[in-house]
Amino acid sequence: MSHESSLSQVQAATNFSEPAPLHATTRAEIDASLRFPVLLFFRTALFWLLFGSILCTMTSLKLVVPCFLDGINFLSYGRLLPVALDALLYGWAIPAGLGISLWMVARLCGRPLRCSKLLVAATFFWNTGVFLGSLGVLCGYGTSIPWLEYPNWASVPLFIAFLLMGVWIVLLFSARQPRSIYITQWYFLLGLCAFPWLYATANMFLTWGSIQASAQGPIIAWYSANIFGLFLIPLALGIIYYLIPKITGAPIYSYYLAVLGFFSLLLLAGWSGMTLFLGGPIPVWMVSASVVATMLMMIPVAAVILNYAKMLQGQVAALKESPALRFIAFGIIAYLVATLLNLAFAIPTWNGILHFTHYSNGIIILTLLGAVSMVFFAGIYYIAPRLFGFSWLCSCSIRCHFWLAVVGLSLMVVSMTLGGLLEGLALDDAAITWVNVLSFAAPWRWLNVIAWILLLLSYVSFVRLFGNMLFHATHPDQKVSACSFNSLASVS
Amino acid sequence: MNRLRPLFITIALLFFAGWLGFVAYSYLELGRLAPQVESDGSLPPLQSGSAIRGAKVYAAEGCMTCHSQQVRQPSVTSSDIDRNWGKRPSVARDYLRDQVAFLGTSRIGPDLSNVGVRFTDPAWYYRHLYESTTVVPGSNMPAYRYLFKMQKIEGQPSEEAVSLTGPHAPKEGYEVVPTEEAKDLVAYLLSRKQDYTLPEVPPVPEK
């Protein structure tokens, strides 16, 4: 599809049109070269997803029933929670996102992967890093720096592994066959450049400890905001730009909006993290800059969402038929809600009440498991059948996965934001003692436990389905599931 | 020309701008803050070796997941000061002596930046850490019993023994004493005091 006539100057510099469909043999060649490494990414990611959500369920339960598994050092709340969240970030989201972007980049660049052994080695390194890091925290070597709790030596394998994987994608880029660069690749390029920079900076200054504690606050806030805003969210947005046109056949609605969305995100996201320490011991100008940037973030978000919404308009049939599209639609909604919640959080007087309650954790969970993960699931739903060479085995597992995730996440958001608001109002009144604040928060925390259980069930049903696919791929003659074959995702 | 290059350069430049603003500025300005020199020493006060080791225990146990260490500006909220968590908001220099600033992002429990002012008796901390409900009924803070050891009383009971009654009391002839880790942790908690004045932050007038 070419829109040469309507290209703006920006696009003239970077030709923007969607790449022409590849020849079937090229496609098959690419998929064959990627089958093992990408499926390996997905397998390890799903393991950590289950691991992380089991631990999250346990910690949420510990908050309401403190005597649950109490007094055991490696199962104490303060050690489990960081392990759980880091497993979801480093174990699940990053490898899943990388696996998907690797496949998409290869397809967009029209190049099969060479020397995939190194990539497999990188996955191995990465997972070793996550494993050793988690073990370190459980054994009491955690650093208690948000999102960087792993002991500092665990950052070395993680960093090396990322560079190896990143190099692969860059090589694919430079060998690309169509010279044009599609918007998806823009976002991937942003994310893949941002991560090593973020991770190296944060580790150098924080975990390897070469900076005075008085200066750590802004760097902590910068890292924990940008790991989402400049890395995972761009990956997710790029994946959506790839999948919607592929699934529905609709072209990108507006290239101007796409360009606007990309550059305004790039410009603003990096400045928006300091609301994490609004009113805290960091320079006031930083907080002001972030408040403004968070408000302005409505521009990139509105631009991409408008674009997506226009592309999805009237695609009811496709939404019903394609699980990937349904996951994307929910991911987009989650992204919008998370942005609005962030906006409310950045208003100073509101922040005074909402800060430090479950509200802010709710935004993080919604971003990680809603906006990012739902899109990654969509990517896996789209890609895995192409790698396996057959379609998803069971449609009820998919439905289970989707609806449990939707209900679980919605319940989570309601319990965390409303519960957080009430908790904040109680905290704001100094006459209410701490133990009384706890009783205000308790019902909402119970709701949170239920939400986690639903999410856990949702992920279990997906992992089971994926496991069945793996089994079926190696034992094609055996019947694997009671569910009838269903051609949900056609293999193109 | 390779069209990848302009895109890459734009990304790098815009990313670098944020990096300069937040990271480089912090490193160059906040990272070079110096202690306030007074006639009778410097502020914030130096920490004992035990307190510095205790910060490691604080990090390892993840107390930060439930406790913050920052008193917010009264312009944002007055509740931190109303709750008696500090007489004035925290500023960057307060963390000068720490290895890691445990600013915290959530408050399942109270703020601890001035806990050493509120509670001065180590015995209270030991009982609270061993089983929080013995001193604060209804508390849901986890019990850190593994930071203590149960030992047989030989001769005189130990002076450090945690005084426990009721269901959490040790068996007859046994006592509960804090380990080195617990002692360091409590030394660290006792050092959590921002009760001095720094020129950049005047005390908030009492209401």
Side-chain angles (χ1 to χ4, degrees):
Chain A
M1 230 154 291
S2 107
H3 288 244
E4 296 295 335
S5 52
S6 68
L7 288 187
S8 71
Q9 278 177 332
V10 191
Q11 291 144 19
T14 319
N15 184 343
F16 199 68
S17 55
E18 285 143 67
L22 299 171
H23 199 271
T25 47
T26 327
R27 262 197 331 246
E29 200 188 336
I30 293 175
D31 285 355
S33 74
L34 284 170
R35 181 165 301 132
F36 186 71
V38 171
L39 283 180
L40 188 65
F41 273 103
F42 292 168
R43 272 150 65 176
T44 60
L46 288 177
F47 166 78
W48 290 112
L49 176 69
L50 267 194
F51 177 80
S53 39
I54 290 174
L55 294 196
C56 276
T57 315
M58 281 166 63
T59 48
S60 67
L61 190 59
K62 269 169 169 285
L63 266 194
V64 276
V65 190
C67 55
F68 171 65
L69 297 178
D70 187 27
I72 307 169
N73 52 7
F74 66 94
L75 290 179
S76 72
Y77 182 89
R79 294 191 192 180
L80 278 192
L81 187 67
V83 172
L85 292 177
D86 284 354
L88 290 179
L89 174 67
Y90 296 104
W92 148 249
I94 295 183
L98 283 177
I100 297 168
S101 31
L102 191 71
W103 184 86
M104 287 185 178
V105 168
R107 279 286 187 105
L108 284 168
C109 296
R111 282 275 159 180
L113 189 75
R114 308 234 176 275
C115 286
S116 62
K117 281 210 185 68
L118 212 63
L119 203 64
V120 173
T123 329
F124 176 76
F125 263 129
W126 180 270
N127 285 289
T128 315
V130 178
F131 176 75
L132 289 180
S134 308
L135 203 65
V137 177
L138 289 179
C139 296
Y141 297 95
T143 62
S144 273
I145 299 166
W147 296 116
L148 294 167
E149 285 93 348
Y150 292 158
N152 53 10
W153 38 261
S155 64
V156 178
L158 286 179
F159 189 71
I160 295 176
F162 193 92
L163 283 188
L164 280 181
M165 304 189 256
V167 163
W168 241 239
I169 297 182
V170 171
L171 283 184
L172 278 176
F173 252 113
S174 50
R176 70 192 184 281
Q177 225 135 51
R179 301 304 291 169
S180 63
I181 308 176
Y182 182 55
I183 182 82
T184 296
Q185 285 150 296
W186 295 30
Y187 277 111
F188 286 174
L189 193 66
L190 167 58
L192 297 174
C193 293
F195 182 79
W197 200 335
L198 285 166
Y199 196 66
T201 305
N203 270 297
M204 194 170 74
F205 285 128
L206 298 173
T207 61
W208 290 97
S210 52
I211 195 172
Q212 206 161 287
S214 51
Q216 288 170 358
I219 303 181
I220 292 172
W222 176 80
Y223 181 74
S224 32
N226 289 353
I227 191 82
F228 293 103
L230 284 175
F231 175 47
L232 290 176
I233 290 285
L235 288 191
L237 296 180
I239 293 170
I240 302 179
Y241 269 124
Y242 182 91
L243 288 181
I244 298 184
K246 284 280 179 199
I247 296 173
T248 64
I252 288 188
Y253 168 69
S254 155
Y255 288 98
Y256 298 103
L257 277 180
V259 174
L260 174 72
F262 178 81
F263 283 108
S264 50
L265 177 92
L266 177 55
L267 183 69
L268 295 168
W271 291 94
S272 64
M274 299 300 137
T275 47
L276 186 66
F277 293 133
L278 207 153
I282 66 171
V284 177
W285 71 262
M286 288 189 179
V287 174
S288 315
S290 281
V291 170
V292 175
T294 310
M295 305 283 159
L296 292 178
M297 275 298 282
M298 279 322 281
I299 298 172
V301 175
V304 286
I305 290 186
L306 190 65
N307 228 347
Y308 294 153
K310 284 286 181 189
M311 285 152 82
L312 286 176
Q313 208 171 35
Q315 301 286 355
V316 185
L319 271 173
K320 276 209 187 107
E321 204 168 294
S322 154
L325 211 56
R326 249 177 297 152
F327 275 88
I328 286 181
F330 188 76
I332 297 173
I333 296 173
Y335 183 41
L336 182 65
V337 174
T339 314
L340 293 176
L341 291 178
N342 246 326
L343 197 72
F345 190 69
I347 299 171
T349 44
W350 294 17
N351 181 288
I353 290 173
L354 296 172
H355 200 181
F356 298 118
T357 67
H358 261 40
Y359 184 93
S360 43
N361 301 341
I363 301 180
I364 294 175
I365 297 288
L366 180 64
T367 312
L368 182 59
L369 295 184
V372 170
S373 296
M374 291 302 261
V375 175
F376 287 0
F377 285 131
I380 299 180
Y381 273 118
Y382 186 80
I383 294 171
R386 289 165 173 76
L387 296 179
F388 282 123
F390 51 90
S391 60
W392 291 98
L393 294 174
C394 167
S395 63
C396 36
S397 295
I398 301 181
R399 234 171 285 139
C400 221
H401 175 204
F402 181 72
W403 287 110
L404 281 173
V406 168
V407 176
L409 273 173
S410 315
L411 205 61
M412 175 97 61
V413 171
V414 170
S415 72
M416 291 184 107
T417 50
L418 274 186
L421 179 64
L422 289 183
E423 195 185 330
L425 289 173
L427 271 177
D428 202 43
D429 183 354
I432 302 179
T433 65
W434 195 271
V435 174
N436 274 333
V437 174
L438 291 180
S439 60
F440 267 87
W444 301 96
R445 290 186 184 161
W446 271 112
L447 214 57
N448 197 28
V449 178
I450 297 171
W452 269 115
I453 293 174
L454 291 179
L455 274 182
L456 183 60
L457 290 177
S458 146
Y459 299 151
V460 166
S461 81
F462 182 56
V463 171
R464 243 197 68 211
L465 177 63
F466 196 83
N468 279 345
M469 296 283 282
L470 281 173
F471 184 78
H472 187 70
T474 44
H475 307 81
D477 38 329
Q478 263 158 332
K479 191 143 178 52
V480 274
S481 130
C483 239
S484 61
F485 253 76
N486 190 308
S487 58
L488 260 170
S490 56
V491 182
S492 79
Chain B
M1 190 185 67
N2 188 347
R3 287 165 185 146
L4 205 54
R5 202 166 295 150
L7 184 63
F8 179 77
I9 292 175
T10 325
I11 290 177
L13 281 181
L14 288 180
F15 191 93
F16 188 60
W19 187 89
L20 269 187
F22 288 154
V23 179
Y25 178 89
S26 301
Y27 180 68
L28 295 176
E29 288 292 317
L30 305 179
R32 292 194 184 152
L33 289 176
Q36 171 82 4
V37 183
E38 305 271 303
S39 54
D40 52 347
S42 61
L43 293 175
L46 282 170
Q47 290 179 8
S48 68
S50 178
I52 291 171
R53 287 194 301 276
K56 295 235 159 57
V57 183
Y58 190 89
E61 297 308 331
C63 309
M64 202 267 321
T65 52
C66 291
H67 291 287
S68 62
Q69 285 190 30
Q70 49 173 315
V71 181
R72 285 177 291 166
Q73 297 285 343
S75 59
V76 173
T77 176
S78 61
S79 73
D80 287 9
I81 291 173
D82 292 348
R83 281 192 176 269
N84 196 23
W85 284 342
K87 293 261 178 289
R88 61 168 177 84
S90 310
V91 290
R93 261 213 289 186
D94 287 324
Y95 302 88
L96 206 62
R97 304 290 189 195
D98 294 343
Q99 289 294 313
V100 178
F102 298 111
L103 298 176
T105 53
S106 85
R107 283 180 181 159
I108 311 287
D111 188 86
L112 297 183
S113 26
N114 284 292
V115 74
V117 179
R118 293 199 291 282
F119 302 100
T120 49
D121 178 12
W124 183 91
Y125 286 97
Y126 291 136
R127 288 177 67 193
H128 188 259
L129 282 173
Y130 187 78
E131 176 58 54
S132 55
T133 48
T134 55
V135 280
V136 184
S139 167
N140 69 348
M141 171 157 150
Y144 288 93
R145 281 190 284 273
Y146 55 86
L147 294 179
F148 296 82
K149 49 179 190 278
M150 180 95 72
Q151 63 183 31
K152 212 174 176 135
I153 302 179
E154 276 156 10
Q156 284 291 65
S158 161
E159 279 183 10
E160 290 167 335
V162 186
S163 75
L164 295 160
T165 49
H168 300 292
K171 278 187 306 226
E172 196 70 47
Y174 283 81
E175 61 186 356
V176 170
V177 290
T179 58
E180 280 311 308
E181 284 178 330
K183 287 184 210 163
D184 291 339
L185 179 60
V186 169
Y188 172 75
L189 292 173
L190 285 167
S191 78
R192 299 294 90 198
K193 292 180 192 167
Q194 299 174 354
D195 54 354
Y196 43 84
T197 359
L198 291 173
E200 63 266 38
V201 47
V204 177
E206 302 265 343
K207 278 202 206 138

